[in-house]
Amino acid sequence: MNNIRHFIEPGDFTIEEYDEIFRLADDIIQTPEKYLDVCKGKLLASLFFEPSTRTRFSFESAMLRLGGQVVGFSDPSGSSAAKGETLVDTVRTVENYADIAVMRHPKEGAPKLASKSMTTMPIINAGDGGHLHPTQTLTDLLTIRHYKNRFDDLVIGVCGDLKFGRTIHSLVRAMSRYENVKFLFISPQELKMPDYIKDQLDKSQYTETSDLQSVIGELDILYMSRVQRERFVSEEEYLKLKDFFILDNYKMKSAKQDMIVMHPLPRINEIATEVDKDERAVYFQQTKFGMYVRMALIMTLLEVEVQ
Ligand code: CP
């Protein structure tokens, strides 16, 4: 059986399919009791070759809240990957036990490679190196839908580590499919958005700057991100850049009253904790949307419905 659907990159679903997932997530939020048993008898394999709090916990909570069960690891040193087993051999083995797998891996393209050897088990990319993080994008879009009630006609500032920030790469890919969305790429020179992401955009769709204060007043959404220490070759370079942007209450004074501040988290220093009390700061609400949208994604890929 080769027609199984995986979710490896944001473009694996159409805009219409995204809408269906968001409608399902909305219904789960409204009436969670309807969904308590929809995945009864199904098993999620949770394969985290890199650390995670939100993605792993939200996927595992999602499956458990749907009545399914979870197996897996949060540290590959406890699996036979530590003995040198290849990724493909690992997932071909897991396919004999589980119905669906979610995988985070430090190597770009690893979930796609794994998906090519599958015959029955959908693979979900939970982040591959500095490349993509499409389920964070589902989380982000459900959050935007909730607070802005639209995906068109938005000015989105993405700020921080645009070079290695996989959540940002995925978000830009997904949001660029909507009408009249303009991006402000806000980063130090060393952490600019890679060309392979910009090449997918029309030049009129984005502007680049290193000055957050001068553009914050134009934004409908400010998407902050941390500098990704684990992707740097040089610790010295990381230390030089890590505090380049710090969003604080002073900067927030220049922002629109209905701008929202998003962040995939974890946060290091890039948002001062004083901002958490600002009602425009929605990053902790965003983490909850992540669980609901992942419930909807699991149901979609497993093709299960409420009876
Ligand atoms: N947003 C996100 O991917 O967080 P975790 O690394 O904690 O999963």
Side-chain angles (χ1 to χ4, degrees):
M1 188 169 74
N2 284 323
N3 60 350
I4 42 171
R5 288 195 81 176
H6 306 281
F7 190 47
I8 305 298
E9 53 183 60
D12 285 342
F13 288 128
T14 64
I15 286 180
E16 292 73 26
E17 287 171 324
Y18 270 53
D19 285 340
E20 277 175 37
I21 290 173
F22 299 142
R23 278 195 291 272
L24 180 55
D26 280 345
D27 198 55
I28 294 169
I29 292 169
Q30 297 301 323
T31 52
E33 65 279 3
K34 271 174 28 193
Y35 295 88
L36 291 174
D37 282 331
V38 289
C39 283
K40 193 169 178 195
K42 302 284 187 189
L43 202 53
L44 170 81
S46 174
L47 312 175
F48 279 76
F49 294 84
E50 262 195 346
S52 168
T53 297
R54 278 143 291 274
T55 312
R56 187 170 72 81
F57 275 66
S58 62
F59 262 113
E60 296 185 4
S61 306
M63 191 51 155
L64 294 170
R65 284 173 184 271
L66 293 169
Q69 291 182 290
V70 179
V71 291
F73 55 79
S74 58
D75 179 352
S77 66
S79 80
S80 284
K83 301 179 212 160
E85 185 170 53
T86 66
L87 177 67
V88 168
D89 284 1
T90 298
V91 291
R92 286 190 66 183
T93 302
V94 171
E95 187 176 29
N96 291 310
Y97 312 133
D99 301 288
I100 186 166
V102 55
M103 178 196 301
R104 171 169 289 186
H105 202 282
K107 292 251 170 67
E108 288 82 0
K112 189 173 185 87
L113 175 71
S115 71
K116 286 184 190 302
S117 64
M118 293 295 94
T119 55
T120 60
M121 183 174 74
I123 300 267
I124 301 170
N125 178 5
D128 59 329
H131 187 216
L132 295 169
H133 192 347
T135 70
Q136 180 66 45
T137 302
L138 289 178
T139 301
D140 299 340
L141 266 63
L142 188 64
T143 307
I144 292 170
R145 189 172 181 268
H146 178 82
Y147 288 100
K148 293 289 172 192
N149 206 24
R150 66 183 195 279
F151 295 125
D152 299 324
D153 304 316
L154 289 168
V155 180
I156 305 174
V158 287
C159 179
D161 184 347
L162 310 191
K163 180 178 178 185
F164 296 117
R166 59 192 176 196
T167 66
I168 286 173
H169 302 162
S170 291
L171 180 71
V172 169
R173 275 199 191 179
M175 287 303 296
S176 64
R177 300 197 294 181
Y178 295 96
E179 293 293 319
N180 194 29
V181 172
K182 187 167 186 295
F183 298 101
L184 276 92
F185 296 150
I186 309 160
S187 73
Q189 185 67 22
E190 295 87 339
L191 298 176
K192 282 176 71 174
M193 187 67 84
D195 287 340
Y196 82 91
I197 300 288
K198 288 190 288 194
D199 288 348
Q200 293 161 18
L201 304 174
D202 190 281
K203 284 208 163 29
S204 64
Q205 279 181 288
Y206 68 89
T207 307
E208 297 181 280
T209 178
S210 57
D211 186 356
L212 172 60
Q213 181 72 62
S214 71
V215 297
I216 194 168
E218 300 171 36
L219 307 178
D220 299 306
I221 296 167
L222 173 57
Y223 194 98
M224 295 295 295
S225 65
R226 77 185 163 94
V227 177
Q228 309 257 314
R229 182 181 205 154
E230 65 274 30
R231 314 272 176 234
F232 277 73
V233 176
S234 152
E235 178 74 1
E236 194 184 345
E237 183 78 352
Y238 166 74
L239 293 173
K240 190 178 93 185
L241 295 169
K242 73 183 178 72
D243 293 330
F244 197 91
F245 296 108
I246 298 181
L247 182 67
D248 56 16
N249 282 345
Y250 177 77
K251 289 195 182 74
M252 288 295 286
K253 281 186 190 159
S254 305
K256 292 181 188 171
Q257 276 312 304
D258 65 347
M259 186 193 82
I260 56 170
V261 183
M262 299 174 65
H263 192 311
L265 302 180
R267 153 181 60 188
I268 310 301
N269 279 334
E270 59 280 359
I271 303 180
T273 51
E274 64 186 16
V275 179
D276 297 358
K277 293 193 189 77
D278 191 309
E279 63 181 20
R280 294 170 290 181
V282 302
Y283 26 89
F284 285 106
Q285 293 88 324
Q286 197 178 337
T287 62
K288 193 154 190 180
F289 285 119
M291 181 184 71
Y292 291 120
V293 87
R294 288 174 174 121
M295 290 170 81
L297 176 65
I298 290 170
M299 285 183 64
T300 302
L301 291 176
L302 287 177
E303 299 181 354
V304 297
E305 291 176 0
V306 175
Q307 294 304 315

